[in-house]
Amino acid sequence: MNVLWEGDVIVAGGGSAGCAAAVATARSGARCLLVESAGYLGGTGAAVLDTFYGFYAPGPTSPRVVGGIGWEVCERLFATGSAFERPNTYGAGTGVTYEPEALKLVWDELTAGVTVLLHARVCGTGDEVETVAGRFAIRAPVLVDATGDAEIAWRAGAAVERPGMRLQPMTTTFRLGGVDLSATSAAELRALMEEAGDAYGLARRDGSVHRTVHDGIVHANLTRVSGLDPTDPLELSRAEREGRRQADAYVRFLREKVPGYGSAVLLGTSIRIGVRESRRLKGRYVLTAEDVLAGRDHPDTIARCGAPIEDHDAGAGTRWEYVRDHGTYGIPYRCLLPAAEAPGLVVAGRSLSATHDAHASARSMGQCMAMGEAAGTAAALAVESAAEPADVDVDVLRGRLRANGAIL
Ligand SMILES: Cc1cc2nc3c(=O)[nH]c(=O)nc-3n(C[C@H](O)[C@H](O)[C@H](O)COP(=O)(O)OP(=O)(O)OC[C@H]3O[C@@H](n4cnc5c(N)ncnc54)[C@H](O)[C@@H]3O)c2cc1C
């Protein structure tokens, strides 16, 4: 098989975690290939969403808990008027609402020192890519799996947690133009959803419709596709179609029943359905709900989080559980490392090693970027010392992350 690229670090997946990992790797001086199956960078953050959570912890003082590359992304978006800070309705902490098109460009700029391969899927055991020109080999001693589905870890035979019955639902988001948000409060909207929910077949009676950087344009996170496995190709396909069907029902409900939405126009549904949870790595450490709620720290903390457990699998509502005393907790480097032998592999982003509950707190994009930066920095350190990622000196790793602005 022809070799398309050979270097130090391959990053599979160009979402929040993968982009941050690739930037961190390249800034550490390593040769990095970032492979993304879509035609743009940003992943779920660009395709489905428009608000970063996890940068700020909730509570009266609401400290910022993510710095480094993630915060640099926010600053670049603020600088061009493409983002603003927005208090969260349910108390998940202040969010950073941004224009997804601007986010794609920011990642294009930040990855200038990286070889970026779009429209390509990493396959094999992480050593091949499937492209429009067929299959090629790619070679590097270290691979960061930032696919969100732990796909490369799974392909390479590392232990992963299969999606089970307690799997967070998927969501197709959409944007509407021509809306007067001031005509209906969030509480009034929820009351109307309760009232008309059965008639319109609305799967969820809470959720968020919020303002964007553009006047009159709102982003809606309302649909709920439950009971389908995003790692089953046929079920994922059914989920995409069901998500669009539900989005259409919500649009009809909003136009017909909600003041301020009478002339609303559907600008588009999300490029793909949003997957909250799929395969998770079974790592050297499994983050638990107790770690989260107790605000526990670890000697190898590489990212910090104050977000509540936000579990969408409880019927038509959402379960929120907060870190005690408005605290924050640490995400250990061990949550990114496969438990058993898997040479050269680090995982970052929403497929970190965590229980269902802990995952429901640690999966926000702020934390995914922080985990990505840590994984990319660790990958570069492993290459520098010709070591396995698992053997990287965590004090050196934490020192380098802090020096680059990370908050640990
Ligand atoms: C509906 C919904 C609402 C949410 N709301 C919020 C919110 O408001 N704020 C917030 O902060 N978080 C939110 N989250 C959580 C958050 O968006 C995700 O946890 C986070 O974006 C995951 O980032 P990631 O980098 O791990 O994965 P992703 O952003 O999903 O990136 C993974 C990338 O890998 C690519 N890929 C997959 N397999 C391969 C392969 N084999 N080869 C190459 N590329 C591959 C994919 O195309 C994708 O671009 C929400 C999630 C969902 C689904």
Side-chain angles (χ1 to χ4, degrees):
M1 192 179 296
N2 288 337
V3 177
L4 184 72
W5 183 89
E6 190 160 3
D8 298 319
V9 177
I10 295 163
V11 177
S16 299
C19 288
V23 174
T25 302
R27 285 183 179 173
S28 300
R31 291 165 303 160
C32 178
L33 176 74
L34 172 60
V35 187
E36 164 57 46
S37 57
Y40 52 86
L41 297 178
T44 300
V48 185
L49 302 173
D50 78 340
T51 301
F52 298 136
Y53 284 114
F55 278 97
Y56 292 94
T61 56
S62 195
R64 183 157 61 79
V65 295
V66 175
I69 293 166
W71 189 243
E72 197 179 326
V73 169
C74 295
E75 287 186 322
R76 283 180 181 239
L77 291 165
F78 291 140
T80 57
S82 306
F84 61 91
E85 292 190 346
R86 184 168 63 88
N88 177 263
T89 332
Y90 301 102
T94 299
V96 176
T97 295
Y98 54 85
E99 168 52 50
E101 293 301 325
L103 177 65
K104 293 178 192 169
L105 286 173
V106 165
W107 282 127
D108 281 345
E109 288 160 17
L110 284 173
T111 50
V114 174
T115 303
V116 175
L117 183 63
L118 299 175
H119 294 300
R121 268 196 94 78
V122 179
C123 46
T125 53
D127 53 353
E128 294 173 11
V129 277
E130 188 69 59
T131 75
V132 68
R135 203 173 266 230
F136 294 95
I138 47 174
R139 302 265 181 268
V142 180
L143 184 141
V144 178
D145 180 344
T147 60
D149 296 322
E151 182 180 323
I152 312 306
W154 168 75
R155 283 175 180 273
V160 293
E161 190 84 51
R162 289 286 307 162
M165 291 305 284
R166 285 193 75 205
L167 183 68
Q168 297 238 28
M170 291 176 261
T171 291
T172 300
T173 60
F174 55 92
R175 299 225 272 181
L176 294 174
V179 174
D180 175 9
L181 259 188
S182 66
T184 307
S185 72
E188 286 164 344
L189 174 61
R190 277 199 292 281
L192 288 169
M193 284 200 268
E194 282 298 347
E195 215 175 282
D198 288 343
Y200 284 87
L202 307 183
R204 185 182 179 190
R205 311 288 160 89
D206 55 7
S208 154
V209 182
H210 59 254
R211 69 190 173 99
T212 64
V213 292
H214 310 292
D215 280 348
I217 296 183
V218 298
H219 178 100
N221 179 340
L222 295 170
T223 70
R224 178 165 280 179
V225 179
S226 308
L228 294 174
D229 175 354
T231 64
D232 177 312
L234 288 173
E235 292 196 16
L236 178 61
S237 304
R238 271 172 57 201
E240 289 281 7
R241 291 151 66 96
E242 169 62 11
R244 261 191 300 279
R245 192 198 63 75
Q246 285 191 21
D248 180 61
Y250 276 98
V251 173
R252 276 189 290 109
F253 155 73
L254 290 165
R255 278 202 198 116
E256 291 167 13
K257 295 288 177 200
V258 185
Y261 290 80
S263 321
V265 219
L266 177 64
L267 300 178
T269 53
S270 47
I271 299 170
R272 55 163 299 155
I273 195 165
V275 176
R276 288 186 176 81
E277 184 181 15
S278 58
R279 287 185 209 99
R280 295 189 303 271
L281 180 73
K282 276 191 191 160
R284 294 190 169 205
Y285 188 84
V286 182
L287 194 73
T288 64
E290 191 44 33
D291 289 328
V292 169
L293 299 176
R296 207 163 275 159
D297 222 333
H298 305 268
D300 59 337
T301 289
I302 44 80
R304 188 148 285 286
C305 184
I309 292 172
E310 179 189 342
D311 195 347
H312 291 254
D313 78 347
T318 305
R319 177 173 65 92
W320 298 81
E321 247 183 294
Y322 287 82
V323 181
R324 272 172 222 141
D325 305 323
H326 305 296
T328 64
Y329 64 92
I331 300 175
Y333 179 49
R334 285 164 294 158
C335 289
L336 311 185
L337 295 171
E341 190 78 351
L345 187 69
V346 198
V347 170
R350 75 169 160 82
S351 40
L352 83 156
S353 172
T355 62
H356 169 83
D357 287 326
H359 176 268
S361 162
R363 70 194 170 88
S364 291
M365 288 185 277
Q367 279 64 43
C368 286
M369 286 187 245
M371 284 187 260
E373 181 165 358
T377 306
L381 282 171
V383 169
E384 271 170 37
S385 52
E388 277 296 317
D391 296 330
V392 161
D393 183 330
V394 284
D395 292 331
V396 174
L397 171 60
R398 281 160 52 88
R400 195 176 283 191
L401 289 172
R402 277 210 179 94
N404 290 332
I407 300 169
L408 307 183

